[in-house]
Amino acid sequence: MIIERDLPIPMDDGLQLRADVYRPDLAGPVPVIMTMGPYGKGVRYQDHHYKPSWDWMTSRHPDLLPGSQRRWLTWETVDPEIWVSWGYAVVRVDSRGAGRSPGFLDILSERETLDYYHAIEWAGVQPWSTGKVGLNGISYYAINQWHVAALQPPHLTAMIPWEGAADTYRDFFRHGGILSNKFLENWYPRQVLSVQHGNPDAPPDIWLNESSSGPEELSKEQLASNRLATLANARARELEDEWYRRRSPDWSKVVTPFLSAANWAGYGLHPRGNFSAFTNAASEHKWLEAHPGRHEEWFYLEYGMKLQKRFFDFFLRGEQNGWDGEPRVWLHLRRPFTEAVQLRKEEAWPLAGTEWTKLYLDAGDRSLAWEPPAAKGVTSFAATVDHLKWTSPPLESETEFTGPLALKLFLSSSTVDADVFVTLQAFAPDGHEVEFQGTVDPHTPLAQGWLRASHRKLCAERSTPYQPYHTHNEKQPLIPGQIYELDVEIWPTCIVLPQGYRIALDIRGSDFARENGDAGSPHRGSGPWLHDDVFDRPAMIFQGTTTLYTGPEHQSHLLLPIVPNRLSRESDTKDLGSLTELDVKAG
């Protein structure tokens, strides 16, 4: 392997970004796997704030990445030892203002996206490159793939955005119009500002034996003046404006072949973007894959590695391995209280033949029923203190729920606004809740959704019955006591529930939480994606009383994606038995 550190990549404005390159010691050129981001190319996965994640991965998967000594791993990027041995060059670039690249730090900005364009084009013309560049990475390294693909760099050939948000407003900063502040308050200082270029307190780059943030040492005042105040902008911008839109992809211009890999339990950040890309991007060659597990887990497991290799071998190396004949949607079906999953391949999302089925809310007894209630009902709760739980009768047979969901509510508030937090749950006959290891939270429920009542305005062109799309371009305050109709988007789920299990719906005016009877502490069920900013949610508005209405005139209901006649198809279903037993054709 040939390793080159801190190579300069010139930008159109004269600034130079810095890159590390790992490539085979071969005479001929090879295709490229690239990432660019703000996490510091010189910060090892095994060290510093990433160490707990590394320890979790290696304790759970001690045979992780067989054939590699794991010497050059960084957070959420590919392992050079494996990919170089497969005949690829691996290029890691520090984005402008981060790590060892100087400049003004502005995450997910148009400037950063343009820089990525130039970096791709640089890699495409190097003497060791075939001119075919692929992008592959998790989270931030997936999000900015959507952005740069819309610029259509000539050398960008294929990409794998693994668990990557897309719509900066709806997926990332504001859920249903509500500021997702807690994640920003923790993630941005810990993972981005800690390696801002010139930060004297940045962790060391152990491969260069220098600072991971470059040779400059800037004061706190200089660092602050050399970056955008991202959280302050998100806090000040309640409605979607050009600032958000410039940080989101134009799907009509995303034509690069891609494999969009989503996590079923990533509520609060990524999976909505993966599903949106598949349904909206202009690319003729696109695939959707959905899996369970922790955020970074399946990317590095044997299944994920074989999947990535086969995709890139086809598009970057021209190997005729049959990838172009694969069905476009790969789903891993989840079942309660087991890590065993089933892979089933489909051709469309949402799935063809989905039976969109309504479960009606009845305020009289807090139930969910397959038929609308005959009598009207009214029930109220203190928005930030109480919650309402609605429960269905036992399922009469095994039932699969796979797809996006939506909730229609008829609501009034004692104040001029109300935030609605919706959580889909399921319970076994003995009362145990069905929950899964999420991307971060080990107690993730089946699905979640959010909506600020004053943001209830829908886009007529983009909304569907199963996925409401809110414009977020104007605020429509409530008149206290007046009833309003709300349509709440709930992010997609996948679960096969046995006969006798119950569906439950939790509705409240603050983040979902459940009490753990053993420890007496809340298990959030939504990880770090919390919404408690006092500026965005002032008490005088959001600590009122919320009232829900049901019955013939107010048919509040949950729309469920029931998938019939799929579970017995042996030809495309395989019982895994564990997270790593999937046999994926490697070509």
Side-chain angles (χ1 to χ4, degrees), residues 56-121:
W56 186 94
M57 281 285 287
T58 52
S59 64
R60 184 170 174 79
H61 304 288
D63 58 346
L64 188 72
L65 300 171
S68 170
Q69 297 183 43
R70 311 168 181 173
R71 288 171 289 181
W72 295 297
L73 288 171
T74 59
W75 174 245
E76 299 182 333
T77 65
V78 302
D79 181 353
E81 288 186 80
I82 290 179
W83 284 89
V84 170
S85 74
W86 287 345
Y88 291 87
V90 173
V91 178
R92 294 176 179 152
V93 186
D94 279 340
S95 55
R96 182 178 296 241
R100 297 183 66 83
S101 293
F104 186 82
L105 178 63
D106 186 1
I107 62 169
L108 302 175
S109 63
E110 289 179 298
R111 179 67 254 183
E112 184 184 82
T113 303
L114 183 59
D115 288 346
Y116 207 173
Y117 176 102
H118 291 304
I120 290 168
E121 292 307 292

Coordinates of all heavy atoms in Angstrom, one line a residue, residues 56-121:
W56 N -17.9 -0.7 21.8 CA -19.2 -1.4 21.6 C -19.1 -2.4 20.4 O -19.5 -3.5 20.5 CB -20.4 -0.4 21.4 CG -21.7 -1.1 21.4 CD1 -22.6 -1.2 22.4 CD2 -22.4 -1.6 20.2 NE1 -23.7 -1.9 22.0 CE2 -23.6 -2.1 20.7 CE3 -22.0 -1.8 18.9 CZ2 -24.5 -2.7 19.8 CZ3 -22.9 -2.4 18.0 CH2 -24.2 -2.8 18.5
M57 N -18.6 -1.9 19.3 CA -18.5 -2.6 18.1 C -17.7 -3.9 18.3 O -18.0 -5.0 17.9 CB -18.0 -1.8 16.9 CG -19.1 -0.8 16.3 SD -20.2 -1.7 15.3 CE -19.2 -2.1 13.8
T58 N -16.5 -3.7 18.8 CA -15.5 -4.8 18.9 C -15.9 -5.8 20.0 O -15.6 -7.0 19.9 CB -14.1 -4.3 19.2 OG1 -14.1 -3.4 20.3 CG2 -13.6 -3.5 17.9
S59 N -16.6 -5.3 21.0 CA -17.1 -6.3 22.0 C -18.2 -7.1 21.5 O -18.3 -8.3 21.8 CB -17.5 -5.5 23.3 OG -18.7 -4.7 23.0
R60 N -19.0 -6.5 20.6 CA -20.2 -7.2 20.1 C -19.7 -8.1 18.8 O -20.3 -9.1 18.6 CB -21.2 -6.2 19.6 CG -22.5 -6.9 19.1 CD -23.6 -5.8 19.0 NE -24.8 -6.3 18.3 CZ -25.7 -7.0 18.9 NH1 -25.6 -7.4 20.2 NH2 -26.8 -7.4 18.3
H61 N -18.7 -7.6 18.1 CA -18.3 -8.2 16.9 C -16.7 -8.3 17.0 O -16.0 -7.6 16.3 CB -18.7 -7.5 15.7 CG -20.1 -7.2 15.6 ND1 -21.1 -8.2 15.3 CD2 -20.9 -6.1 15.7 CE1 -22.3 -7.7 15.2 NE2 -22.2 -6.4 15.5
P62 N -16.2 -9.3 17.8 CA -14.8 -9.3 18.0 C -14.0 -9.7 16.7 O -12.8 -9.4 16.6 CB -14.6 -10.4 19.0 CG -15.9 -11.2 19.0 CD -16.9 -10.2 18.7
D63 N -14.7 -10.3 15.7 CA -14.1 -10.6 14.4 C -14.4 -9.6 13.4 O -14.3 -9.9 12.2 CB -14.6 -12.0 13.9 CG -16.1 -12.0 13.8 OD1 -16.8 -11.1 14.3 OD2 -16.7 -13.0 13.1
L64 N -14.6 -8.4 13.8 CA -15.0 -7.3 12.8 C -13.8 -7.1 11.8 O -12.7 -7.1 12.2 CB -15.2 -6.0 13.6 CG -15.7 -4.8 12.9 CD1 -17.2 -5.0 12.5 CD2 -15.5 -3.5 13.7
L65 N -14.2 -6.9 10.6 CA -13.3 -6.6 9.5 C -12.2 -7.7 9.4 O -11.0 -7.3 9.5 CB -12.7 -5.2 9.6 CG -13.8 -4.1 9.6 CD1 -13.1 -2.8 10.0 CD2 -14.4 -4.0 8.3
P66 N -12.5 -8.9 9.1 CA -11.5 -9.9 9.0 C -10.5 -9.6 7.9 O -11.0 -9.2 6.8 CB -12.3 -11.2 8.8 CG -13.6 -10.8 8.3 CD -13.9 -9.5 8.9
G67 N -9.3 -9.9 8.1 CA -8.3 -9.6 7.1 C -7.6 -8.2 7.2 O -6.7 -7.9 6.6
S68 N -8.2 -7.4 8.2 CA -7.6 -6.1 8.4 C -7.0 -6.0 9.8 O -7.6 -6.6 10.7 CB -8.7 -5.0 8.2 OG -8.3 -3.8 8.7
Q69 N -5.9 -5.3 9.9 CA -5.4 -5.0 11.3 C -6.0 -3.7 11.9 O -5.6 -3.3 13.0 CB -3.9 -4.9 11.2 CG -3.2 -6.1 10.7 CD -1.7 -6.0 10.8 OE1 -1.1 -5.4 11.7 NE2 -1.0 -6.5 9.7
R70 N -7.0 -3.1 11.1 CA -7.7 -2.0 11.6 C -6.8 -0.8 12.0 O -7.1 -0.1 12.9 CB -8.6 -2.4 12.8 CG -9.4 -3.6 12.7 CD -9.9 -4.1 14.0 NE -10.7 -5.3 13.9 CZ -11.2 -5.9 15.0 NH1 -10.9 -5.5 16.2 NH2 -11.9 -7.0 14.9
R71 N -5.7 -0.6 11.2 CA -4.7 0.4 11.6 C -5.1 1.8 11.2 O -4.6 2.8 11.7 CB -3.4 0.0 10.9 CG -2.7 -1.2 11.6 CD -1.5 -1.6 10.7 NE -1.9 -2.2 9.5 CZ -1.1 -2.7 8.5 NH1 0.2 -2.6 8.8 NH2 -1.5 -3.2 7.4
W72 N -6.0 1.9 10.1 CA -6.2 3.3 9.5 C -7.7 3.6 9.5 O -8.2 4.1 8.5 CB -5.5 3.3 8.2 CG -4.1 3.2 8.3 CD1 -3.2 4.1 8.9 CD2 -3.2 2.2 7.7 NE1 -1.9 3.7 8.8 CE2 -1.9 2.5 8.0 CE3 -3.5 1.0 7.0 CZ2 -0.8 1.7 7.7 CZ3 -2.4 0.2 6.6 CH2 -1.1 0.6 6.9
L73 N -8.4 3.2 10.5 CA -9.8 3.4 10.6 C -10.1 4.9 11.1 O -9.5 5.3 12.0 CB -10.5 2.4 11.5 CG -10.6 1.0 11.0 CD1 -11.1 0.1 12.1 CD2 -11.5 0.9 9.8
T74 N -11.1 5.5 10.5 CA -11.6 6.7 11.0 C -13.1 6.6 11.0 O -13.7 5.8 10.3 CB -11.2 8.0 10.2 OG1 -11.7 7.8 8.8 CG2 -9.7 8.2 10.2
W75 N -13.8 7.4 11.8 CA -15.2 7.3 12.1 C -16.0 7.4 10.8 O -15.9 8.3 10.0 CB -15.6 8.4 13.1 CG -17.0 8.6 13.4 CD1 -17.8 9.7 13.1 CD2 -17.9 7.7 14.1 NE1 -19.1 9.6 13.6 CE2 -19.1 8.4 14.2 CE3 -17.7 6.5 14.7 CZ2 -20.2 7.8 14.9 CZ3 -18.8 5.9 15.4 CH2 -20.0 6.5 15.4
E76 N -16.9 6.4 10.6 CA -17.9 6.4 9.5 C -17.3 6.4 8.1 O -18.0 6.7 7.2 CB -18.8 7.6 9.7 CG -19.6 7.6 11.0 CD -20.6 8.8 11.2 OE1 -20.3 9.8 10.6 OE2 -21.5 8.6 11.9
T77 N -16.1 6.0 8.0 CA -15.5 5.9 6.6 C -15.0 4.4 6.4 O -14.9 3.6 7.3 CB -14.3 6.8 6.4 OG1 -13.2 6.5 7.3 CG2 -14.7 8.3 6.7
V78 N -14.6 4.1 5.1 CA -14.2 2.8 4.8 C -12.9 2.4 5.4 O -12.1 3.3 5.6 CB -14.3 2.6 3.3 CG1 -15.6 2.9 2.7 CG2 -13.2 3.4 2.6
D79 N -12.6 1.2 5.5 CA -11.3 0.7 6.0 C -10.3 0.6 4.8 O -10.5 -0.3 3.9 CB -11.5 -0.7 6.6 CG -10.2 -1.3 7.2 OD1 -9.1 -0.7 7.0 OD2 -10.3 -2.4 7.8
P80 N -9.3 1.4 4.8 CA -8.3 1.3 3.6 C -7.7 0.0 3.4 O -7.4 -0.4 2.3 CB -7.3 2.4 4.0 CG -8.0 3.3 4.9 CD -8.9 2.5 5.7
E81 N -7.4 -0.7 4.5 CA -6.7 -2.0 4.4 C -7.5 -3.0 3.5 O -7.0 -3.7 2.7 CB -6.4 -2.6 5.7 CG -5.3 -1.9 6.5 CD -5.0 -2.6 7.8 OE1 -4.3 -3.6 7.7 OE2 -5.5 -2.2 8.8
I82 N -8.8 -3.0 3.7 CA -9.7 -3.9 2.9 C -9.9 -3.3 1.5 O -9.7 -4.1 0.5 CB -11.0 -4.1 3.7 CG1 -10.8 -4.9 4.9 CG2 -12.0 -4.8 2.7 CD1 -12.0 -5.2 5.7
W83 N -10.3 -2.1 1.4 CA -10.6 -1.6 0.1 C -9.4 -1.5 -0.9 O -9.5 -1.7 -2.1 CB -11.3 -0.2 0.2 CG -12.7 -0.4 0.6 CD1 -13.2 -0.5 1.9 CD2 -13.9 -0.6 -0.2 NE1 -14.5 -0.7 2.0 CE2 -15.0 -0.7 0.7 CE3 -14.1 -0.6 -1.6 CZ2 -16.3 -0.9 0.2 CZ3 -15.3 -0.8 -2.1 CH2 -16.4 -1.0 -1.2
V84 N -8.2 -1.2 -0.3 CA -7.0 -1.2 -1.2 C -6.7 -2.6 -1.6 O -6.3 -2.8 -2.8 CB -5.8 -0.5 -0.4 CG1 -4.5 -0.8 -1.2 CG2 -6.1 1.0 -0.2
S85 N -6.9 -3.6 -0.7 CA -6.7 -5.0 -1.1 C -7.7 -5.4 -2.2 O -7.4 -6.3 -3.0 CB -6.8 -5.9 0.1 OG -8.1 -6.1 0.5
W86 N -8.8 -4.7 -2.3 CA -9.8 -5.0 -3.3 C -9.5 -4.3 -4.6 O -10.3 -4.4 -5.6 CB -11.2 -4.7 -2.8 CG -11.7 -5.6 -1.8 CD1 -11.3 -6.9 -1.5 CD2 -12.9 -5.4 -1.0 NE1 -12.1 -7.4 -0.5 CE2 -13.0 -6.6 -0.2 CE3 -13.8 -4.3 -0.8 CZ2 -14.1 -6.7 0.8 CZ3 -14.8 -4.5 0.1 CH2 -14.9 -5.6 0.9
G87 N -8.4 -3.5 -4.7 CA -8.1 -2.8 -5.9 C -8.7 -1.4 -6.0 O -8.9 -0.9 -7.1
Y88 N -8.9 -0.7 -4.9 CA -9.4 0.7 -4.9 C -8.4 1.6 -4.2 O -7.7 1.2 -3.3 CB -10.8 0.7 -4.2 CG -11.9 0.0 -4.9 CD1 -12.1 -1.3 -4.7 CD2 -12.7 0.8 -5.8 CE1 -13.2 -1.9 -5.4 CE2 -13.8 0.1 -6.4 CZ -14.0 -1.2 -6.2 OH -15.0 -1.8 -6.9
A89 N -8.4 2.8 -4.6 CA -7.8 3.9 -3.8 C -8.8 4.5 -2.9 O -9.9 4.7 -3.3 CB -7.2 4.9 -4.8
V90 N -8.3 4.8 -1.7 CA -9.2 5.5 -0.7 C -8.7 6.9 -0.4 O -7.5 7.1 -0.1 CB -9.2 4.7 0.6 CG1 -10.0 5.4 1.7 CG2 -9.8 3.3 0.4
V91 N -9.6 7.9 -0.6 CA -9.2 9.3 -0.4 C -10.1 9.9 0.6 O -11.3 9.8 0.6 CB -9.3 10.0 -1.8 CG1 -9.0 11.5 -1.5 CG2 -8.5 9.4 -2.9
R92 N -9.4 10.5 1.6 CA -10.1 11.2 2.7 C -9.7 12.6 2.7 O -8.5 12.9 2.8 CB -9.8 10.6 4.1 CG -10.3 9.1 4.3 CD -9.8 8.6 5.6 NE -10.2 7.3 5.9 CZ -9.6 6.4 6.7 NH1 -8.4 6.8 7.3 NH2 -10.0 5.2 6.9
V93 N -10.7 13.5 2.7 CA -10.5 14.9 2.6 C -11.1 15.6 3.8 O -12.2 15.4 4.1 CB -11.1 15.5 1.3 CG1 -10.6 17.0 1.1 CG2 -10.7 14.7 0.1
D94 N -10.3 16.5 4.4 CA -10.8 17.4 5.5 C -11.5 18.6 4.8 O -10.9 19.2 3.9 CB -9.7 17.9 6.3 CG -9.3 17.0 7.4 OD1 -10.0 16.0 7.7 OD2 -8.1 17.1 7.9
S95 N -12.8 18.8 5.1 CA -13.5 19.9 4.5 C -13.0 21.2 5.0 O -12.3 21.3 6.0 CB -15.0 19.7 4.8 OG -15.3 19.6 6.1
R96 N -13.4 22.2 4.3 CA -12.9 23.6 4.5 C -13.2 24.0 6.0 O -14.3 23.9 6.5 CB -13.6 24.6 3.6 CG -13.2 26.0 3.7 CD -13.9 26.9 2.7 NE -13.6 26.5 1.3 CZ -13.1 27.3 0.4 NH1 -12.8 28.6 0.7 NH2 -12.8 26.9 -0.8
G97 N -12.1 24.5 6.6 CA -12.2 24.9 8.0 C -12.2 23.9 9.1 O -12.3 24.1 10.2
A98 N -12.0 22.6 8.6 CA -12.0 21.5 9.5 C -10.7 20.7 9.4 O -10.2 20.6 8.3 CB -13.2 20.6 9.3
G99 N -10.3 20.1 10.5 CA -9.1 19.3 10.4 C -7.9 20.1 9.9 O -7.6 21.2 10.4
R100 N -7.2 19.5 9.0 CA -6.0 20.2 8.5 C -6.2 21.1 7.2 O -5.3 21.5 6.6 CB -4.9 19.1 8.2 CG -4.5 18.4 9.5 CD -3.4 17.4 9.3 NE -2.2 18.0 8.9 CZ -1.2 18.5 9.7 NH1 -1.5 18.5 11.0 NH2 -0.1 19.0 9.3
S101 N -7.5 21.3 6.9 CA -7.8 22.2 5.8 C -8.2 23.5 6.3 O -9.2 23.6 7.1 CB -9.0 21.6 5.0 OG -8.7 20.4 4.3
P102 N -7.6 24.6 5.9 CA -7.9 25.9 6.4 C -9.2 26.4 5.8 O -9.8 25.8 4.9 CB -6.7 26.8 6.0 CG -6.2 26.1 4.7 CD -6.5 24.6 4.9
G103 N -9.6 27.6 6.3 CA -10.8 28.3 5.7 C -11.9 28.5 6.7 O -11.8 28.1 7.9
F104 N -13.0 29.0 6.2 CA -14.2 29.3 7.0 C -15.0 28.1 7.1 O -15.5 27.5 6.1 CB -15.0 30.5 6.4 CG -16.1 31.0 7.2 CD1 -15.9 31.8 8.3 CD2 -17.4 30.5 7.0 CE1 -17.0 32.3 9.1 CE2 -18.5 31.0 7.7 CZ -18.3 31.9 8.8
L105 N -15.4 27.7 8.4 CA -16.1 26.4 8.6 C -17.6 26.7 8.5 O -18.2 27.5 9.3 CB -15.8 25.9 10.0 CG -16.5 24.6 10.5 CD1 -16.2 23.4 9.5 CD2 -16.2 24.3 11.9
D106 N -18.3 26.1 7.5 CA -19.7 26.3 7.3 C -20.3 24.9 6.8 O -20.2 24.6 5.6 CB -19.9 27.4 6.3 CG -21.4 27.7 6.1 OD1 -22.3 27.1 6.8 OD2 -21.7 28.6 5.3
I107 N -20.7 24.1 7.8 CA -21.1 22.7 7.4 C -22.3 22.7 6.5 O -23.2 23.5 6.5 CB -21.4 21.9 8.7 CG1 -22.6 22.5 9.5 CG2 -20.2 21.8 9.6 CD1 -23.2 21.6 10.6
L108 N -22.2 21.8 5.5 CA -23.3 21.5 4.6 C -23.7 22.7 3.7 O -24.8 22.8 3.2 CB -24.6 20.9 5.3 CG -24.4 19.7 6.2 CD1 -25.6 19.3 6.9 CD2 -23.9 18.5 5.3
S109 N -22.7 23.6 3.6 CA -23.0 24.8 2.8 C -22.7 24.6 1.4 O -22.2 23.6 0.9 CB -22.1 25.9 3.4 OG -20.7 25.6 3.1
E110 N -23.2 25.6 0.6 CA -22.9 25.6 -0.9 C -21.4 25.6 -1.1 O -20.9 24.9 -2.1 CB -23.6 26.7 -1.6 CG -25.1 26.6 -1.6 CD -25.7 27.9 -2.3 OE1 -25.5 29.0 -1.7 OE2 -26.3 27.7 -3.3
R111 N -20.6 26.3 -0.3 CA -19.2 26.4 -0.5 C -18.6 25.0 -0.3 O -17.7 24.6 -1.0 CB -18.6 27.4 0.4 CG -17.1 27.6 0.4 CD -16.6 28.1 -0.9 NE -16.0 27.1 -1.8 CZ -15.4 27.4 -2.9 NH1 -15.4 28.6 -3.4 NH2 -14.9 26.4 -3.7
E112 N -19.0 24.3 0.8 CA -18.5 23.0 1.1 C -18.8 22.0 0.0 O -18.0 21.2 -0.4 CB -19.0 22.5 2.4 CG -18.4 21.1 2.8 CD -19.0 20.6 4.1 OE1 -20.1 20.0 4.0 OE2 -18.5 20.8 5.2
T113 N -20.0 22.1 -0.6 CA -20.4 21.3 -1.7 C -19.6 21.5 -2.9 O -19.2 20.6 -3.6 CB -21.9 21.4 -2.0 OG1 -22.7 21.2 -0.8 CG2 -22.4 20.5 -3.0
L114 N -19.4 22.8 -3.2 CA -18.5 23.1 -4.4 C -17.1 22.6 -4.2 O -16.5 22.1 -5.1 CB -18.5 24.6 -4.6 CG -17.7 25.1 -5.8 CD1 -18.3 24.5 -7.1 CD2 -17.8 26.6 -5.9
D115 N -16.6 22.7 -3.0 CA -15.3 22.1 -2.7 C -15.3 20.6 -3.0 O -14.3 20.1 -3.5 CB -14.9 22.3 -1.2 CG -14.6 23.8 -0.9 OD1 -14.4 24.6 -1.8 OD2 -14.6 24.1 0.3
Y116 N -16.3 19.9 -2.6 CA -16.4 18.5 -2.8 C -16.4 18.2 -4.3 O -15.7 17.2 -4.7 CB -17.7 17.9 -2.2 CG -17.6 16.5 -1.7 CD1 -18.7 15.9 -1.0 CD2 -16.5 15.7 -2.0 CE1 -18.7 14.6 -0.6 CE2 -16.5 14.3 -1.7 CZ -17.6 13.8 -0.9 OH -17.5 12.5 -0.5
Y117 N -17.1 19.0 -5.1 CA -17.0 18.9 -6.5 C -15.6 18.9 -7.0 O -15.1 18.0 -7.8 CB -17.9 20.0 -7.2 CG -17.8 20.0 -8.7 CD1 -18.9 19.6 -9.4 CD2 -16.8 20.6 -9.4 CE1 -18.9 19.6 -10.8 CE2 -16.8 20.6 -10.7 CZ -17.8 20.2 -11.5 OH -17.8 20.2 -12.8
H118 N -14.8 19.9 -6.6 CA -13.5 20.1 -7.1 C -12.6 18.9 -6.6 O -11.7 18.5 -7.3 CB -12.9 21.4 -6.6 CG -13.5 22.6 -7.3 ND1 -13.5 22.7 -8.6 CD2 -14.2 23.7 -6.8 CE1 -14.2 23.9 -9.0 NE2 -14.5 24.5 -7.8
A119 N -12.8 18.4 -5.4 CA -12.0 17.3 -4.8 C -12.3 16.0 -5.7 O -11.4 15.3 -5.9 CB -12.4 17.1 -3.4
I120 N -13.5 15.8 -6.0 CA -13.9 14.7 -6.9 C -13.2 14.8 -8.2 O -12.6 13.8 -8.7 CB -15.4 14.6 -7.1 CG1 -16.1 14.1 -5.8 CG2 -15.7 13.6 -8.2 CD1 -17.6 14.3 -5.8
E121 N -13.2 16.0 -8.8 CA -12.6 16.1 -10.1 C -11.0 16.0 -10.0 O -10.4 15.5 -10.9 CB -13.0 17.5 -10.7 CG -14.4 17.5 -11.1 CD -14.8 16.4 -12.0 OE1 -14.3 16.3 -13.1 OE2 -15.5 15.5 -11.5

